[in-house]
Amino acid sequence: MAVKFYQAQNQVPLEMHKVRMVQKISLLPVEERLKRIQEAGNNTFLLQNRDIYLDMLTDSGVNGMTDLQMAAAMRADDSYAGSETFTRVKEAVKEVFGTENVLPAHQGRACENILSSALVKPGQTALMNFHFTTTKAHITRMGGTVEEIIADKGLLPQSDDPFKGDFDLDKLRATINEKGAENIAFVRVEAGTNLIGGQPVSLENMLAVTDICHDNKIISVLDASLLQDNVYFMKTREARCKYMDIKSIYHLLADHFDIIYFSARKLGFAKGGIITSKDAKYTKMMMEYIPLYEGFLTYGGMDVRSMEAMAQGLYESLDMEYINQGPEFINYLAKELHDYGVPVVLPAGGLGCHLNAGAFVPELPHNEYPAAAVAAALYIAGGIRGMERGTLSEQRNPDGTEPYSELELMRLAVPRRVYTLSQLKYVADRVKWLWDNRTLIGGLEWVEEPTVLRFFSGRLKEKGYWQEQLAEKFRKDFGDSL
């Protein structure tokens, strides 16, 4: 139950944990921030951590671990084979998901590599509610294609629908009939749909998707990386789940999905990755790729301390008081911005608060990368590192043309148990200032464009001198303040 404040105007999300370790961070003057973002090629991935005040690039691998996770890491068994650490990981996976067949990998995208190598044949299609960048890259690398089957409501930046990540079930059936089940590599459900704002999928929709897969003898895959957030939304937005305990939901999903994989950088707030299944035939299909790409079957490229922290983190993913902080902080930030008039994705999802950059700077065309421009502008305005989730995050077609993203979003991820409410209020303040000065934001153009996953390492430059003008306006408005 939520803690109610005596004075309603003071109501804020209340953490049920305390902070016992701190790390010093710094805030550079605006002129230095301007210099740093330009040196980084207007790519927030290429900024140095020492130059960032609040790092909201991602919630992957940067969450605060608990005292029990830190303690667990100290009992790690680094035996190459027969490791007790791996036994404890398997026990945690069995407790949380009810599955006994477990393959380790060093992180979520490594799991995607294994899945694609084992399951995707040239010419096949993988169906999913919405693609993720690395997932799609691994599938296309194997000669496959990706088709998105998300319901139309998922592409509306603002609505009152609680589950915008749901599949369009009629479209899923029609696509399978059109392509033929034998030409479908697998159907993948992303629980907490990253590229449309961390939007959840309902339990009802997930189970319906697996029923369709089973009827057509197609493999069903659950990407459970953001399952913690998704389960929070199930329990708070879906009547069926309100009185179910979290473990019952996890077990029900594992009963229906053929394969589950996740990045422990998100699920459990540790590091590493896991592929698991109730049916050993699926893990056997992938087992040979673990020693080939990752490491031996008892560590899969992970260090044993991370594995111990992962095991403890999986147990903690069953605790509502641990998993609620992210969604509640994100909702607080989204509401603060929405009330001011800033266009954000609503309802707030998991993972982070997403600015609708297409509405923030509507005059900028897709090929001037509005979401990346807003991300660069916010770093200048506040030393805050966000992440582009729009056209820049797509990859060019084989003929060199550029597919434009359905949504141009700038993500402000909220690492769990890392930042305080006062720091979130600072973020809101700087975003509001940027919104009021949005006409100063201009476009970006390529200087160096990689062919694969270009958003990680590509470099761009401003079109004109809008960044200098933005920095000058900041100094005029804030005086000597950082």
Side-chain angles (χ1 to χ4, degrees), residues 125-129 149 167 172 176 184-189 209-210 212-213 218-222 257 259:
T125 300
L127 307 181
M128 50 193 72
N129 46 348
I149 315 292
F167 272 72
L172 177 60
I176 293 171
I184 307 298
F186 53 81
V187 174
R188 168 183 170 271
V189 177
V209 169
T210 59
I212 292 169
C213 289
I218 296 172
I219 295 173
S220 58
V221 176
L222 174 64
F257 279 92
I259 299 169

Side-chain angles (χ1 to χ4, degrees), residues 88-99:
R88 286 189 280 271
V89 169
K90 288 188 67 176
E91 289 171 351
V93 172
K94 183 176 180 180
E95 175 71 15
V96 172
F97 287 101
T99 54

Side-chain angles (χ1 to χ4, degrees), residues 180-252:
E182 70 280 4
N183 296 314
I184 307 298
F186 53 81
V187 174
R188 168 183 170 271
V189 177
E190 186 175 348
T193 318
N194 194 313
L195 295 183
I196 63 165
Q199 294 297 314
V201 187
S202 69
L203 178 62
E204 178 184 10
N205 190 258
M206 287 192 195
L207 299 184
V209 169
T210 59
D211 286 344
I212 292 169
C213 289
H214 296 154
D215 289 344
N216 290 277
K217 296 181 171 57
I218 296 172
I219 295 173
S220 58
V221 176
L222 174 64
D223 179 348
S225 300
L226 293 171
L227 187 57
Q228 285 183 174
D229 291 349
N230 205 107
V231 166
Y232 169 85
F233 291 123
M234 286 173 170
K235 284 190 61 60
T236 56
R237 297 178 182 177
E238 192 168 3
R240 175 179 179 177
C241 299
K242 183 176 180 180
Y243 297 109
M244 293 177 68
D245 63 71
I246 294 173
K247 185 164 70 172
S248 296
I249 297 174
Y250 278 41
H251 279 229
L252 183 59

Side-chain angles (χ1 to χ4, degrees), residues 336-340 342 360 378 425-438:
E336 182 91 1
L337 295 176
H338 174 67
D339 289 349
Y340 193 74
V342 178
F360 208 103
L378 184 59
K425 292 182 78 68
Y426 168 84
V427 172
D429 181 81
R430 290 303 186 259
V431 173
K432 292 173 184 177
W433 178 85
L434 189 62
W435 170 247
D436 288 341
N437 290 275
R438 60 192 180 276

Side-chain angles (χ1 to χ4, degrees), residues 467-478:
Q467 294 180 331
E468 288 79 4
Q469 294 169 2
L470 187 70
E472 289 173 5
K473 183 63 163 57
F474 179 93
R475 182 56 69 206
K476 178 182 177 182
D477 288 354
F478 287 93

Side-chain angles (χ1 to χ4, degrees), residues 15 38 90 101 118 231 260 279 319 399 481:
E15 304 95 323
Q38 292 181 341
K90 288 188 67 176
N101 305 292
V231 166
I260 294 175
D279 192 332
D319 187 338
D399 63 2
S481 170

Side-chain angles (χ1 to χ4, degrees), residues 443-460:
L444 301 171
E445 59 186 352
W446 285 108
V447 175
E448 300 173 18
E449 182 182 358
T451 56
V452 178
L453 298 175
R454 60 186 184 175
F455 64 93
F456 278 135
S457 58
R459 292 179 175 271
L460 303 99

Side-chain angles (χ1 to χ4, degrees), residues 35-142:
K35 180 181 178 182
R36 297 296 190 274
I37 193 65
Q38 292 181 341
E39 289 174 345
N42 285 287
N43 184 345
T44 55
F45 272 97
L46 301 182
L47 288 165
Q48 296 298 304
N49 189 55
R50 62 177 175 267
D51 299 330
I52 296 162
Y53 176 53
L54 298 179
D55 192 354
M56 305 180 79
L57 183 80
T58 183
D59 67 340
S60 180
V62 294
N63 301 293
M65 291 200 298
T66 65
D67 52 351
L68 295 180
Q69 285 182 289
M70 299 292 285
M74 299 308 295
R75 67 170 181 169
D77 173 11
D78 60 0
S79 302
Y80 188 89
S83 167
E84 286 300 313
T85 287
F86 184 61
T87 298
R88 286 189 280 271
V89 169
K90 288 188 67 176
E91 289 171 351
V93 172
K94 183 176 180 180
E95 175 71 15
V96 172
F97 287 101
T99 54
E100 295 189 10
N101 305 292
V102 178
L103 297 176
H106 76 271
Q107 65 181 87
R109 72 194 53 172
C111 297
E112 293 169 349
N113 176 40
I114 302 300
L115 283 161
S116 299
S117 297
L119 302 181
V120 179
K121 297 180 177 65
Q124 287 189 318
T125 300
L127 307 181
M128 50 193 72
N129 46 348
F130 210 76
H131 80 279
F132 185 61
T133 50
T134 55
T135 323
K136 184 175 181 178
H138 282 300
I139 291 166
T140 57
R141 179 181 61 82
M142 298 304 298

